[in-house]
Amino acid sequence: MIWHPLLPLLAPFFLARFGLPLSDCQFQLGVNRFDALGGDRDLFFKQESLKSQNEIFKELLDSAIDPNDKDARYLGFPYYLKISLSCARQDSARAVRKAHYSGVFPIVTIAFEEPVHPVLQKPEQLEIEMRAAPYRISGCDSEELCEMCWYTPMPIMNGSVVMTVTVRDNSLGFQVSGKRMYMNINGYLRETNSGPEFSVGERMASVKGYLSLKDVSRPLWRTYRQAPVLILGGIPNNKVILLSDTGFNDFFVIEAAIDSCWISSRKCRWDQFSSSIVDTVSTESTLFIRQNQLIYYFTGNYSALYMNASGSELWTRILAKQCVRKLNPVDFPHNNTEFVLALGGGWQEGEFFLISVSERCKLKWVVFATEINRFYLLVETTLHGNVSAYYTMAYHQDTEHYEVLSLTPQFIPECKKQYSLRSIYDREANDQGFVVIIGQVKYTNIPMVLQGIAYNPFSRIFYLWGNVILQSTDLKSYLYLSDFFSDSPVKYFIHSYSGPFAFVTENEEVWFSNEVSSIIKRVFPSRAWTLHSSLQKMSGSKIFGLRESPVSVFYDKEDLQELIYMEDDLGNGKLIKRSFPLRFVLTYNQIIERPQQVFSHEGKDYIKFSHSCPFARVRIVDLPLPQRYSRKEHYRAEPPDIMEKTGFHDKKSLTVYQGLIFQLLWLHLAYNRPYADPVHDPTWRWWKNKIEDAHYYSYVASNRNSSGGVYVNMAKYVKIYNLGSGNVWPDTIFLDKRNSYNFSVFFSIRTKEQSLGESAEENSLDYVWLTITVAHPEYVNVFMERTELISRGAVLYKVEVVDVGIYPRQDLSGKKLLKSAMIFSVANAVTKCYDYSFIGPLTKGYRVLPVVVGCPPGRRLAFDITGTLEYTTKKNKRYFDCVNPDPEMPCFFFNDVFYPSFLIQDMVTGDSGIFEGSYIFKIIGGGPYSTENIRYFSTDEILRYNSNNVSETWGHIWLSANTKGNAKDSEGFPILSRSDNGIVWVCQEHSSCYDILPRDMLAPHYFFVVKVTNRGVDQTTYCDYALEFIIHVHGLHLSPSRAIFLMKVSMSSVVGLVILYVMMYILTPKVKALCSRFARRIEEVVILRTGSSATFSSSVTSRGSQNYFLTLSEGECSPGKGFLAGALKGPEHWYLPLGTSDEFPDDPTLLHDVLAEALRTGAEINRLVGLIRVQWHRLAETTPWTTHDADQSAQHNLRTLDRLLKEVRLAQEDLATLTRLLARLTVREAQQEPAAAPIRPVCDFPWLERGWRAPRCQPFPIPTCA
């Protein structure tokens, strides 16, 4: 019906009239610094991770996290993503509170764009979904009236600087419109003391004075979906650029820090000087600009890209000696490199840099087909009569030659039905809308003027544009799209690379079309545009004004966008970005072009609007799970649970959220390791140590008793492998070798009520025909089966997209893929079929599905440690591990056959299974005893150590266990498989592991670097599963010479040990007896020394000693009663005469010294007497002697006793002398007359000299004299 397209615009008036609720709010996004929560939007340029947050995580004792784990990386990102609401008809702060208390919370999905230069990661499609956490902005006491917002971490992945942020609500509370925008890192900012500043130039306050309504639009050139920062020049008479890191959702006005130069010469003429920056191109890491004929570039500071070069300090001029006329963008990279083409002018007209054309001509445009490494050129030449002709050429960079493809017609073809100008808005073309340019075509007298080439690598369609549009698939044959005929030629061409395209003419007309369609529509200016603009102004829209001028038109991920400069009545201007209302304009155009009719039904008159769409409804059903084909790895996370009853998070809980997201993404990066984990999931290592306590932690949190006030639920940080399709095609499908993609398309025609006034022929299934155009039919086939469901008024198409299996490239995962596309369209339905929804009309009946052929991203080959150990142990019936085992790198015994096992793991779907294909096993490096000693081998060494073609060199490290021989490739490397994978370690004479010198008593061990690849030998896949890993082999053999030498040394040692053992067996008893006697001697000496010290330790003082000797002089110890005489019973005694005291000098200390010496001598005699007693007992015990050994012992005892007696005699003499001296000194001191006094008796043993056989003596006590 005619009012259906107007429903979204008229609904607000009706709902407001009847008081029905309607949300006019949408999400507003920005970033805040880590330490500036609640502030305005900050500039997004910092790329370094914050310091570890382990101190906070150590407080979370009641959560299944371990900050001390070796895999723990709880760091933070520099920014948070702030989410709020922007409303047109109500207060935004109030709307945020209302949304929160009604149960609304945003769900944010951040998709990381794959970088041009992948350094640390293989190509991947990664996205993470996070639930936003509510946050109450500080400085407010009232809980109800506080301003609030939502926060999520703003993650940064190393290698990606372009991120698409999509936010939606959770379908609770009032409805909030979702939003998608780019949130990219701006590498052209630097930190200063006064805050962030732009390094490319000076930031201006506003666009005032730089833009006006008279300015013309200009193209926005950048690398397709890779440029984080977009720039736009063309500001008249100013070296000013517009710069944006959000896809122009907001922007900055920058005056470029370059000199305004005009270098004109005779060879490079430049007619007019301008300070404007004309051509601007953005790539992933660099900006290019052209001012006059001068080219400058500026490299951003992107540490996240791991660039070899640091960011620029100043704009750098390049091609200084060249005369450059214009720049051409290259939308796609090639071999991880981005390009910008510069076209020559002046004396270098006809040249472009990288290649040159020898013929003198004017180079109009160059495109670089990166997927085939070929340049396509549009060349203008002048024929006779100053008539221009245009050639298309190709330059093959691989073979370094060019070829002329075609010469385009000089004049515009003539149509069957020529255009007639009906009004300023509408032109009527011929019935077909195109002309095939062949030999029989008639031409007008209007010259054909071509300005450039546009190329879509997905569909392989070229467009030559100027004052005509020519379509081609090979630049040799063309279709002239006759629906475009304008006095204003095309100024720039805009590709979406997903089917639709647009172009802008010199008069600022915007035209639209779809690939493989001949219909071209002018959408601005047009009657439909005027209608839509008027309705928007009536509804009070702020993005449509009475005075506006286009600045640029471009495509992003959403749709066709336009930058508009708008002024109000006071002349205040602003630059805004708005979605080009293409769907509305095309829908209104259908109503305007289709005249209404009047008909009667059941006696009532109706107005009939004829249906231009052959069907009423289309549904896509029976779709498989999308991730297997879209290759998107999807993570899901939620904020940690907090114990705060209000439900608002604080800085601490948000810091925990940051650390958890960082840990989750770090585990994703770290999972790219050559060894397979027991569980195929990156998060397994995170929870494996504490998963058993999960229920306990949940119980504690349910009682709000979690330590630290935060609880981390491990089930909320997961990788999702089974996302549903929702009956929607994925953005892109990836096909491996002979893979297929199946689905069904269901078309239904209008019901009886919907087709009132129509004949059966007008509403018939015969007009519903699905067509599919395949860009690369040699590689991709499509099979369709049509079924008409008459009773249901429907048509069912079963579609199967199949890879043929002949794509010639086998490469790493995600590398060198074939970009193709399938274009689905229903006959007579392009730009004519729409579904009407609350947000406006939605197109149907046309869709382009990109198809990528090759090894899909997200697949890898992993060394199966567990499977290898189990199978190797089973086959060898034993397993010997290293002395010091390493669980991360198990050991394998040199003498055992090695049976490696590998897994094919899908990082997207979570599938993991045994690799059944063929592969080549090579040792490419190694080193003994430690991984630090590993050395990578040269190409010749790898060939010598692994190839069977050089077996005569005796340099093999390993051989196949298959005695019948293996198949081998052209270089002689054996081809192994799952059923034939036995490896025998040999380490031949000229190999690197031959004759490793042992370091200790253990056998040598060696670390081998192994490379496994199936490239060229496995015909089941397009993937080159290249894998490098290290294995540890112990028990290596020694060389024969070294082994014989060690055997000799070992045998000598063994024989010597045997002889030593025999000798010890014979001599051991004698040695033991000798050692025992010696030990007893030492023991006795120690005992006697200890006893002597105890005897004399309590000796009397000098005065007491004097009294002692006085008592001796009085005869208290009479002869025969001394301690020796009493003990030995019968020895003779004698007395020594005393002298006089006059013989001594008068020395007062002499008496004390003599007394002390006498005491020491007495003690020595006492010790010797004790030894004599011991020897006496031993001599008595050895008699009578009955053995030779006893005889020898007795003789030894006698000799010892004789030596002791001699020592006693000497001591007796000394003691006698001292006694005499002591007596005289005593008498002199007492002033008494000298008298003879008895002295202490001593003993003699003259009977010992008469023979060695003496009577036994009983033990006696040591005598004392009172």
Side-chain angles (χ1 to χ4, degrees):
M1 302 299 289
I2 189 172
W3 51 269
H4 281 167
L6 306 180
L7 179 60
L9 298 173
L10 299 177
F13 300 102
F14 290 103
L15 293 175
R17 171 69 179 80
F18 294 102
L20 298 177
L22 172 69
S23 173
D24 63 333
C25 301
Q26 65 176 357
F27 288 109
Q28 193 76 16
L29 303 178
V31 294
N32 280 164
R33 296 195 314 271
F34 185 87
D35 55 350
L37 291 174
D40 296 332
R41 177 182 182 269
D42 291 310
L43 297 175
F44 189 20
F45 69 99
K46 294 182 179 180
Q47 304 164 54
E48 295 79 13
S49 301
L50 299 178
K51 64 180 181 180
S52 174
Q53 309 296 327
N54 279 359
E55 294 302 323
I56 295 179
F57 280 87
K58 288 180 180 179
E59 300 177 10
L60 310 183
L61 302 178
D62 296 324
S63 298
I65 57 175
D66 183 8
N68 299 320
D69 188 80
K70 65 182 183 65
D71 295 317
R73 298 293 187 279
Y74 296 107
L75 278 70
F77 299 104
Y79 298 95
Y80 288 97
L81 180 66
K82 179 182 179 181
I83 304 107
S84 57
L85 294 181
S86 175
C87 304
R89 298 183 180 89
Q90 57 179 312
D91 181 69
S92 298
R94 182 179 179 182
V96 172
R97 292 194 297 269
K98 179 181 177 182
H100 171 68
Y101 289 116
S102 62
V104 175
F105 55 81
I107 298 175
V108 177
T109 301
I110 299 179
F112 303 93
E113 198 68 41
E114 179 186 336
V116 174
H117 315 274
V119 178
L120 298 182
Q121 281 292 101
K122 295 180 180 179
E124 61 182 5
Q125 312 286 324
L126 178 64
E127 61 184 16
I128 180 170
E129 177 185 309
M130 297 176 290
R131 200 188 83 183
Y135 179 79
R136 187 169 52 191
I137 298 176
S138 60
C140 174
D141 297 330
S142 174
E143 176 182 332
E144 182 179 355
L145 301 178
C146 280
E147 291 189 11
M148 60 162 293
C149 58
W150 295 276
Y151 276 111
T152 68
M154 186 63 211
I156 297 175
M157 283 289 291
N158 288 333
S160 179
V161 293
V162 178
M163 288 156 280
T164 304
V165 180
T166 304
V167 59
R168 60 179 177 86
D169 61 18
N170 59 335
S171 301
L172 294 176
F174 66 85
Q175 184 180 4
V176 182
S177 301
K179 188 172 184 178
R180 175 188 291 179
M181 67 177 293
Y182 288 101
M183 196 69 68
N184 304 329
I185 298 175
N186 193 332
Y188 305 97
L189 284 161
R190 60 191 173 196
E191 187 71 55
T192 64
N193 294 331
S194 58
E197 291 184 357
F198 282 91
S199 55
V200 294
E202 183 180 357
R203 179 180 177 181
M204 302 289 102
S206 67
V207 297
K208 186 176 182 179
Y210 299 108
L211 293 177
S212 68
L213 296 175
K214 298 179 181 180
D215 295 341
V216 298
S217 66
R218 68 283 282 168
L220 182 63
W221 287 339
R222 76 281 190 197
T223 306
Y224 179 66
R225 294 187 178 180
Q226 299 290 344
V229 174
L230 307 181
I231 57 173
L232 193 62
I235 308 298
N237 302 320
N238 288 281
K239 52 181 181 181
V240 171
I241 57 175
L242 304 178
L243 182 146
S244 175
D245 53 20
T246 59
F248 277 101
N249 284 322
D250 51 26
F251 64 94
F252 307 97
V253 183
I254 306 296
E255 184 180 25
I258 61 173
D259 296 328
S260 297
C261 296
W262 183 27
I263 305 176
S264 181
S265 64
R266 186 163 54 94
K267 290 186 177 181
C268 186
R269 295 187 179 277
W270 212 261
D271 298 332
Q272 184 178 3
F273 167 78
S274 174
S275 60
S276 297
I277 295 174
V278 184
D279 296 334
T280 58
V281 182
S282 305
T283 66
E284 186 178 51
S285 58
T286 307
L287 304 178
F288 293 87
I289 61 174
R290 178 179 69 86
Q291 183 192 49
N292 300 316
Q293 74 274 42
L294 308 182
I295 308 299
Y296 298 89
Y297 79 92
F298 197 101
T299 301
N301 182 18
Y302 285 107
S303 59
L305 293 177
Y306 290 96
M307 298 170 56
N308 294 328
S310 59
S312 301
E313 295 292 334
L314 299 171
W315 288 94
T316 304
R317 185 185 171 194
I318 56 175
L319 301 177
K321 297 182 179 180
Q322 313 300 329
C323 185
V324 179
R325 179 169 52 86
K326 66 184 302 184
L327 296 180
N328 274 179
V330 178
D331 292 344
F332 293 91
H334 174 64
N335 284 342
N336 299 334
T337 305
E338 299 169 291
F339 297 93
V340 174
L341 300 176
L343 307 187
W347 65 282
Q348 290 181 306
E349 190 72 60
E351 298 180 0
F352 77 96
F353 299 98
L354 287 179
I355 64 171
S356 62
V357 182
S358 59
E359 182 183 359
R360 179 59 56 193
C361 57
K362 184 176 182 181
L363 202 56
K364 301 291 290 185
W365 204 269
V366 179
V367 296
F368 187 15
T370 56
E371 76 281 2
I372 55 177
N373 198 20
R374 190 177 302 169
F375 293 90
Y376 291 100
L377 294 73
L378 177 62
V379 179
E380 179 185 1
T381 61
T382 302
L383 303 178
H384 298 288
N386 292 328
V387 178
S388 295
Y390 298 90
Y391 287 91
T392 55
M393 296 182 177
Y395 178 79
H396 303 264
Q397 195 170 8
D398 295 335
T399 57
E400 297 185 353
H401 79 281
Y402 67 93
E403 63 174 327
V404 177
L405 298 177
S406 66
L407 173 65
T408 61
Q410 298 181 25
F411 301 97
I412 297 176
E414 184 179 293
C415 300
K416 294 180 181 180
K417 183 177 180 180
Q418 194 61 37
Y419 289 98
S420 61
L421 187 62
R422 297 175 52 188
S423 67
I424 192 173
Y425 295 106
D426 301 289
R427 293 178 188 266
E428 187 179 89
N430 64 311
D431 295 334
Q432 293 179 336
F434 67 92
V435 175
V436 181
I437 299 179
I438 55 177
Q440 304 300 322
V441 175
K442 295 181 180 181
Y443 295 91
T444 66
N445 58 358
I446 303 174
M448 182 181 294
V449 180
L450 299 177
Q451 298 291 341
I453 304 176
Y455 172 65
N456 185 353
F458 293 93
S459 61
R460 291 203 304 183
I461 296 179
F462 294 88
Y463 290 95
L464 276 64
W465 47 270
N467 63 345
V468 296
I469 299 294
L470 301 181
Q471 177 181 310
S472 176
T473 57
D474 56 4
L475 290 181
K476 295 180 180 179
S477 57
Y478 299 93
L479 290 178
Y480 165 54
L481 302 182
S482 56
D483 276 1
F484 171 70
F485 189 91
S486 174
D487 296 334
S488 176
V490 177
K491 182 166 57 175
Y492 57 93
F493 200 93
I494 313 161
H495 243 314
S496 68
Y497 298 105
S498 59
F501 65 88
F503 51 88
V504 180
T505 67
E506 295 288 349
N507 292 339
E508 304 302 335
E509 298 175 351
V510 180
W511 294 71
F512 169 82
S513 182
N514 290 295
E515 291 183 342
V516 306
S517 172
S518 62
I519 300 175
I520 300 179
K521 296 286 186 180
R522 185 175 62 181
V523 293
F524 175 83
S526 64
R527 290 179 59 187
W529 171 273
T530 303
L531 174 61
H532 176 74
S533 177
S534 300
L535 291 173
Q536 292 293 320
K537 295 170 187 176
M538 291 171 58
S539 64
S541 174
K542 296 181 181 180
I543 61 175
F544 284 85
L546 297 176
R547 303 174 61 190
E548 60 182 36
S549 174
V551 175
S552 184
V553 181
F554 59 93
Y555 273 100
D556 63 6
K557 279 188 175 182
E558 292 291 323
D559 207 344
L560 188 63
Q561 308 290 329
E562 60 178 345
L563 287 178
I564 298 296
Y565 176 73
M566 186 184 304
E567 288 186 356
D568 57 17
D569 296 336
L570 301 178
N572 298 320
K574 62 179 180 179
L575 184 68
I576 62 171
K577 173 191 173 183
R578 70 187 181 198
S579 178
F580 196 96
L582 193 60
R583 297 173 290 126
F584 293 94
V585 173
L586 293 176
T587 305
Y588 299 162
N589 190 62
Q590 292 293 319
I591 300 174
I592 294 171
E593 291 182 351
R594 293 282 179 176
Q596 66 270 18
Q597 299 176 1
V598 179
F599 71 98
S600 297
H601 177 69
E602 295 180 354
K604 296 181 181 180
D605 295 333
Y606 293 89
I607 298 176
K608 171 192 173 184
F609 295 90
S610 59
H611 293 278
S612 58
C613 185
F615 60 92
R617 190 179 180 188
V618 58
R619 290 183 297 146
I620 302 173
V621 296
D622 301 331
L623 284 170
L625 293 178
Q627 287 180 278
R628 181 176 299 276
Y629 299 95
S630 68
R631 311 306 301 167
K632 287 185 178 180
E633 299 184 58
H634 189 91
Y635 287 89
R636 181 178 296 163
E638 296 183 11
D641 297 332
I642 55 177
M643 304 299 105
E644 174 64 34
K645 294 183 179 181
T646 61
F648 287 104
H649 286 252
D650 55 13
K651 292 184 178 180
K652 178 180 179 180
S653 61
L654 290 179
T655 301
V656 172
Y657 200 7
Q658 284 261 22
L660 294 172
I661 297 299
F662 191 99
Q663 171 73 6
L664 183 63
L665 294 179
W666 185 88
L667 289 172
H668 169 79
L669 289 174
Y671 196 64
N672 189 25
R673 54 197 300 272
Y675 307 104
D677 284 338
V679 178
H680 177 44
D681 190 284
T683 62
W684 172 77
R685 288 176 173 264
W686 196 357
W687 316 111
K688 61 183 177 66
N689 296 330
K690 292 194 173 183
I691 193 171
E692 296 180 354
D693 302 327
H695 294 294
Y696 166 74
Y697 296 139
S698 177
Y699 171 76
V700 174
S702 65
N703 290 279
R704 296 187 178 274
N705 290 326
S706 297
S707 60
V710 177
Y711 166 63
V712 179
N713 187 352
M714 65 179 69
K716 294 182 179 180
Y717 302 88
V718 294
K719 188 173 185 179
I720 307 299
Y721 299 107
N722 55 352
L723 289 176
S725 65
N727 287 333
V728 177
W729 274 329
D731 295 334
T732 304
I733 62 172
F734 291 80
L735 296 179
D736 197 1
K737 196 168 191 175
R738 296 186 179 89
N739 285 172
S740 62
Y741 182 71
N742 299 274
F743 60 93
S744 299
V745 184
F746 187 87
F747 295 97
S748 59
I749 59 177
R750 289 175 291 278
T751 62
K752 181 179 179 180
E753 292 77 10
Q754 293 173 335
S755 60
L756 286 176
E758 293 183 356
S759 63
E761 184 179 357
E762 291 178 313
N763 188 29
S764 173
L765 295 178
D766 295 336
Y767 292 98
V768 183
W769 292 94
L770 177 64
T771 62
I772 301 178
T773 304
V774 183
H776 296 80
E778 66 272 27
Y779 300 127
V780 179
N781 287 345
V782 177
F783 301 95
M784 288 195 302
E785 179 184 345
R786 174 186 170 97
T787 303
E788 293 187 359
L789 307 175
I790 305 297
S791 61
R792 300 173 60 182
V795 176
L796 180 65
Y797 281 94
K798 293 184 178 181
V799 183
E800 182 181 16
V801 184
V802 182
D803 172 74
V804 177
I806 61 173
Y807 182 59
R809 293 179 178 176
Q810 187 177 18
D811 217 297
L812 300 177
S813 175
K815 294 288 188 178
K816 296 184 179 179
L817 303 173
L818 172 67
K819 299 175 181 178
S820 185
M822 297 185 301
I823 303 176
F824 295 79
S825 62
V826 180
N828 299 317
V830 180
T831 71
K832 298 179 180 179
C833 296
Y834 301 90
D835 276 332
Y836 299 102
S837 67
F838 189 79
I839 61 173
L842 302 175
T843 60
K844 62 181 180 181
Y846 178 88
R847 174 67 190 273
V848 175
L849 180 61
V851 179
V852 179
V853 176
C855 182
R859 286 188 182 176
R860 71 162 190 164
L861 185 71
F863 179 50
D864 183 14
I865 297 177
T866 305
T868 300
L869 288 175
E870 292 177 355
Y871 192 72
T872 300
T873 304
K874 178 181 177 182
K875 297 291 289 186
N876 292 295
K877 296 181 175 57
R878 64 180 183 182
Y879 173 67
F880 297 123
D881 202 349
C882 287
V883 176
N884 300 313
D886 182 3
E888 298 288 339
M889 187 184 300
C891 273
F892 298 95
F893 188 43
F894 183 85
N895 290 341
D896 289 344
V897 180
F898 177 55
Y899 296 95
S901 177
F902 302 97
L903 297 176
I904 294 295
Q905 294 186 331
D906 195 319
M907 311 294 288
V908 179
T909 64
D911 296 336
S912 181
I914 298 294
F915 176 56
E916 302 289 350
S918 301
Y919 60 91
I920 294 175
F921 183 95
K922 291 186 289 187
I923 305 292
I924 63 172
Y929 297 112
S930 173
T931 55
E932 297 178 356
N933 299 327
I934 288 178
R935 176 183 66 88
Y936 280 86
F937 303 145
S938 65
T939 304
D940 293 338
E941 288 177 321
I942 293 174
L943 197 66
R944 183 168 67 250
Y945 298 159
N946 300 274
S947 175
N948 289 340
N949 291 347
V950 290
S951 57
E952 66 278 0
T953 61
W954 287 91
H956 282 109
I957 292 178
W958 64 279
L959 293 173
S960 173
N962 187 356
T963 57
K964 298 180 180 179
N966 296 79
K968 58 183 181 180
D969 66 355
S970 58
E971 294 182 307
F973 295 114
I975 299 176
L976 305 181
S977 63
R978 170 64 177 168
S979 59
D980 184 12
N981 63 339
I983 290 174
V984 178
W985 305 106
V986 291
C987 289
Q988 293 179 349
E989 183 176 357
H990 296 108
S991 66
S992 64
C993 57
Y994 177 76
D995 195 22
I996 301 298
L997 186 65
R999 288 184 174 181
D1000 47 29
M1001 296 302 294
L1002 301 177
H1005 53 100
Y1006 204 87
F1007 292 87
F1008 291 104
V1009 181
V1010 179
K1011 181 176 181 179
V1012 174
T1013 177
N1014 66 329
R1015 189 185 186 97
V1017 298
D1018 183 14
Q1019 305 303 321
T1020 63
T1021 180
Y1022 291 134
C1023 293
D1024 174 13
Y1025 293 122
L1027 173 67
E1028 288 187 14
F1029 62 98
I1030 300 174
I1031 58 174
H1032 190 188
V1033 178
H1034 67 107
L1036 271 67
H1037 293 175
L1038 302 175
S1039 64
S1041 58
R1042 191 179 301 277
I1044 292 174
F1045 172 76
L1046 292 178
M1047 184 186 68
K1048 291 179 179 179
V1049 173
S1050 300
M1051 290 300 295
S1052 302
S1053 301
V1054 171
V1055 171
L1057 290 174
V1058 171
I1059 295 174
L1060 180 61
Y1061 174 76
V1062 173
M1063 293 180 65
M1064 290 181 63
Y1065 182 78
I1066 296 173
L1067 299 177
T1068 295
K1070 297 182 179 181
V1071 173
K1072 289 175 66 176
L1074 181 62
C1075 292
S1076 298
R1077 286 195 297 270
F1078 180 75
R1080 285 197 299 271
R1081 300 295 189 276
I1082 297 299
E1083 180 182 359
E1084 293 164 356
V1085 169
V1086 171
I1087 292 173
L1088 290 176
R1089 286 286 185 183
T1090 304
S1092 299
S1093 300
T1095 303
F1096 291 94
S1097 60
S1098 58
S1099 301
V1100 295
T1101 60
S1102 300
R1103 187 64 182 174
S1105 299
Q1106 182 180 1
N1107 295 333
Y1108 170 74
F1109 282 99
L1110 289 175
T1111 56
L1112 288 179
S1113 63
E1114 294 175 357
E1116 291 185 8
C1117 285
S1118 59
K1121 297 181 180 179
F1123 62 93
L1124 288 180
L1128 298 178
K1129 297 180 180 179
E1132 297 178 358
H1133 312 287
W1134 65 91
Y1135 298 93
L1136 296 180
L1138 299 177
T1140 63
S1141 60
D1142 297 334
E1143 300 175 5
F1144 300 96
D1146 188 8
D1147 187 355
T1149 63
L1150 182 60
L1151 178 61
H1152 181 273
D1153 294 339
V1154 172
L1155 177 61
E1157 184 64 24
L1159 292 174
R1160 283 195 295 271
T1161 305
E1164 180 65 18
I1165 293 174
N1166 193 28
R1167 184 184 67 81
L1168 293 175
V1169 170
L1171 293 177
I1172 292 173
R1173 181 185 61 185
V1174 172
Q1175 290 297 328
W1176 179 266
H1177 282 285
R1178 288 181 179 175
L1179 185 62
E1181 291 175 356
T1182 56
T1183 57
W1185 299 281
T1186 58
T1187 62
H1188 177 70
D1189 292 340
D1191 188 19
Q1192 290 182 346
S1193 177
Q1195 293 179 3
H1196 173 73
N1197 291 333
L1198 287 174
R1199 287 193 296 270
T1200 302
L1201 190 61
D1202 184 58
R1203 178 177 57 81
L1204 293 174
L1205 289 173
K1206 292 179 181 179
E1207 292 179 0
V1208 169
R1209 290 192 184 99
L1210 293 176
Q1212 285 177 343
E1213 294 176 0
D1214 293 339
L1215 183 60
T1217 303
L1218 292 171
T1219 302
R1220 288 193 299 269
L1221 293 176
L1222 184 61
R1224 292 181 181 180
L1225 290 173
T1226 303
V1227 170
R1228 188 180 64 183
E1229 283 207 16
Q1231 295 181 354
Q1232 296 178 356
E1233 289 295 329
I1239 63 173
R1240 185 170 185 168
V1242 295
C1243 302
D1244 194 11
F1245 304 93
W1247 51 271
L1248 290 177
E1249 298 177 1
R1250 295 193 296 269
W1252 50 267
R1253 192 178 183 87
R1256 294 188 179 182
C1257 294
Q1258 298 297 326
F1260 58 91
I1262 297 176
T1264 59
C1265 295

